[in-house]
Amino acid sequence: MATLAPPGPRPSPLNLLIYRPARDPLAFFTNLARQYGDIVAYKMGGEQIMFVNGPQHIRDILVTHNRLFIKGRGLQRSKRLLGEGLLTSEGATHLRQRRLMQPAFHRDRIAAYGDTMVGYADRLQQGWRDGTTYDIAHEMMRLTLAIAGKTLFDVDVESQAADVRAAMNAVMESFWLSMLPFADVLERLPVPQLRRAKAARAKLDAIIYGMIAERRAEADSSPGPPRAQPRGDLLSMLLAAQDETSGAMMSDQQVRDEAMTILLAGHETTANALMWTWYLVSTAPDVEARLHEEVDRVLQGRPPGVSDIGALPYVERVVTEAMRLYPPAWLIGRRALQDYALGDYVAPARSIMVMSPYVLHRDARYFANPERFDPDRWTPEFKAALPPFAYFPFGGGPRRCIGDSFAWMELVLVVATIARRWSLALEPGHPVETQPVVTLRAKHGMRMKVTRRTATA
Ligand code: HEM
């Protein structure tokens, strides 16, 4: 018999009225789970929140019963930047866009981007000086933005397109600002950062629309049906995408929204995964030694390519384990459209279901010695025995990350390219602290000294 009230903390009167993010949200959610179990209820800012911490329940919400949920109101603000792109749209719009875009993210299609990923990682490491300390958070962000610029728009944001880079940087940096409550109002006030952000957004819009127009014109002037000429980048694929049954294609605005979405969803998440990987590897000399051994043995002094990925299982384990401990998307949320039976309880309609890869990935029921960075735990047997959704850095169901293959490829190739040449060590005394904004960043960046590996130099 279902009862209505799962266990949970008694909220303070202030929290009942307003939304106050916990000072340390990761500790807050971890403690809730450890104290109250797989389903925790609490109220905040007038919302009923259900923190769901069991893999089976999470699977039900994201996959089996996904139709009973929407991503919800929190998206409205990000819609100002992302429009009706995949990340922010709902229902029929989302379904149509997802169907149109899925083929562009197919493993075979994105394999063509492998050389770009390696090329840019190689250029980054060539610019490093032996013995110098860099903010690796910044370096990885620069790298993944450059890779996004090239694979999405076919522009080299590092060397050719200073205006594209400046606008992209400003928009990406300001995205989090635009998520602030009252950002609409603030934007109209003379708050310089927000004003700049608005101007940068307008500029990036103009650039993207310009590229779209240029490509449509190229397509019109070429013989054959009026289709965009695929240049091989994602923008061309979006322009050429056509629904198999209805024949519908995307409008300029839809293409713009999707391009902006991919840019935003794709580069910061991947940069954070890379940054945490370098940090974790620097804490475990034995892991670093094996990483170097595998890369040296498999690549024999040449840069990696897509076809090497299968031969680099240790690199993949290292990245898998890094995303266990520091999943870039640390929180996933859904809003219930109707009363929803959750185990022995009922989540009332409009409840917000909160699920945290960060918390579940550190649950000792699924990961022995969960705080330990141990890539070796990822044996095929362990993977096979792990309950689905005990590890879910890319979410699941119809809204699973569309860029997951893209991200895996980028992570493995970038790590292999850099590990070939360099050993990274945390600057002594540098504080390592998580900063869970929309993605899981490092609060103070990640200052690391790079040392050229002599064996392969
Ligand atoms: C390590 C890197 C990445 C992580 C951890 C990550 C994680 C996620 C997660 C958890 C979701 C689902 C969110 C939810 O269910 O509410 C998501 C959605 C999405 N991701 Fe990623 N992502 C990564 C890289 C990328 C890349 C490289 C791209 C594009 C090239 C991308 C594009 C998207 C898009 C468009 C969505 C929305 C999908 C939909 O709702 O249909 N992501 N991502």
Side-chain angles (χ1 to χ4, degrees), residues 71 86-87 94 98 262 265-266 269 334 393-395 399 401-402:
K71 290 185 76 168
L86 263 199
L87 202 62
H94 173 262
R98 180 95 192 192
I262 295 167
T269 40
R334 293 290 186 272
F394 293 101
R399 309 222 52 157
C401 179
I402 201 171

Side-chain angles (χ1 to χ4, degrees), residues 241-285:
Q242 190 163 25
D243 192 289
E244 270 182 19
T245 38
S246 69
M249 296 174 83
M250 288 187 223
S251 67
D252 284 3
Q253 190 180 340
Q254 279 165 338
V255 171
R256 174 264 174 219
D257 289 352
E258 296 300 2
M260 201 71 107
T261 297
I262 295 167
L263 198 57
L264 191 98
H267 101 279
E268 174 161 337
T269 40
T270 317
N272 285 335
L274 288 166
M275 172 200 69
W276 291 115
T277 301
W278 295 122
Y279 161 67
L280 287 165
V281 168
S282 79
T283 65

Side-chain angles (χ1 to χ4, degrees), residues 62 71 75 85-89 94-95 97-98 101-102 105 110 117 148 151-152 234 258 261-274 319 323 326-334 355 357 392-408 410-411 439:
L62 294 181
K71 290 185 76 168
L75 293 178
L86 263 199
L87 202 62
T88 40
S89 56
H94 173 262
L95 203 66
Q97 289 300 102
R98 180 95 192 192
M101 289 170 65
Q102 196 77 52
F105 286 91
I110 59 164
M117 293 165 177
T151 51
L152 188 52
L234 278 165
E258 296 300 2
T261 297
I262 295 167
L263 198 57
L264 191 98
H267 101 279
E268 174 161 337
T269 40
T270 317
N272 285 335
L274 288 166
V319 172
M323 282 200 289
Y326 295 99
W330 65 281
L331 202 70
I332 295 177
R334 293 290 186 272
M355 297 151 276
F392 63 125
F394 293 101
R399 309 222 52 157
R400 183 185 161 88
C401 179
I402 201 171
D404 58 351
S405 301
F406 187 111
W408 276 117
E410 184 170 356
L411 295 171
T439 66

Side-chain angles (χ1 to χ4, degrees), residues 100 109 212 214-231 235-244 247-250:
L100 270 173
R109 276 276 181 87
I212 293 172
E214 205 176 274
R215 284 160 203 230
R216 291 224 194 264
E218 279 171 23
D220 286 347
S221 61
S222 66
R227 285 283 208 90
Q229 291 294 298
R231 283 201 207 192
L235 188 65
S236 312
M237 290 199 211
L238 297 182
L239 285 167
Q242 190 163 25
D243 192 289
E244 270 182 19
M249 296 174 83
M250 288 187 223

